[in-house]
Amino acid sequence: MEKSIKQKAEALFDDGDLDVLYELLAPYLEQGDPDAEFLYSSFSLESKNETEEEFEERSMRLLISASEGGVAEASYRLGVIYLYGDFVDTNSKSSSEYFERAIAQGHSHSKFTYGFSLYYGSSGVSQDKARGLQFLEEAAKEGVGLATEELKLIHARE
């Protein structure tokens, strides 16, 4: 999807113009465009009469495809879904795999979220303080304020 179309689609989403957004995304969805899949994973249309279960199944399928297609935000969202058990049972292995993918795709906030879990050994993630600290430091350098605050707390305890 071209950058200008993606920006228009994101503006339509932000404005809640979902029917117009779907019309814009439809040809890209037919092509399996990862950015279109990511956007469509986030909303449901009343006209489609989709149940909550159908929406969740479609959303997961589209997020997985978008993640595999290189959309870092989709990988991050899947990491969070598996971390907290939204739509699915919690699964620390799947969560870690998606956070790792998001990090490889350049997603700064994943470095904070996954780094936090690694540093403290929380959310079913085996503790690895050195690697967790590395991710937290990288996230802070990339402008993630929560990582900066967490590093202050860590250093205050040392």
Side-chain angles (χ1 to χ4, degrees), residues 13-138:
F13 181 79
D14 290 343
D15 292 341
D17 293 333
L18 302 182
D19 289 320
V20 175
L21 173 58
Y22 182 76
E23 288 177 28
L24 177 68
L25 294 179
Y28 296 97
L29 290 167
E30 288 176 21
Q31 298 168 10
D33 183 272
D35 290 314
E37 291 174 332
F38 173 70
L39 282 168
Y40 188 42
S41 75
S42 301
F43 68 93
S44 186
L45 297 171
E46 288 182 27
S47 61
K48 297 262 185 198
N49 293 322
E50 192 173 44
T51 67
E52 187 174 334
E53 183 177 306
E54 290 169 334
F55 168 73
E56 290 172 359
E57 288 174 9
R58 177 178 57 79
S59 182
M60 286 296 291
R61 180 177 41 79
L62 290 171
L63 283 171
I64 290 167
S65 181
S67 170
E68 291 170 354
V71 179
E73 188 65 30
S75 301
Y76 171 74
R77 190 171 299 167
L78 286 163
V80 170
I81 286 170
Y82 282 106
L83 180 68
Y84 296 113
D86 298 336
F87 303 163
V88 297
D89 292 333
T90 58
N91 183 322
S92 61
K93 183 176 185 282
S94 293
S95 177
S96 294
E97 289 171 0
Y98 282 111
F99 282 132
E100 292 275 1
R101 180 182 289 173
I103 289 167
Q105 293 168 328
H107 194 268
S108 299
H109 200 81
S110 290
K111 291 178 181 179
F112 164 71
T113 306
Y114 190 50
F116 184 95
S117 294
L118 284 168
Y119 185 83
Y120 292 104
S122 61
S123 304
V125 175
S126 296
Q127 187 173 36
D128 184 340
K129 281 190 167 191
R131 191 155 183 250
L133 191 59
Q134 175 190 344
F135 282 143
L136 289 169
E137 288 170 348
E138 288 175 16

Side-chain angles (χ1 to χ4, degrees), residues 112 119-120 132-141 145-158:
F112 164 71
Y119 185 83
Y120 292 104
L133 191 59
Q134 175 190 344
F135 282 143
L136 289 169
E137 288 170 348
E138 288 175 16
K141 286 179 186 171
L146 291 170
T148 302
E149 294 304 312
E150 193 59 40
L151 287 169
K152 287 179 187 174
L153 293 171
I154 289 170
H155 295 307
R157 288 191 294 262
E158 291 179 341

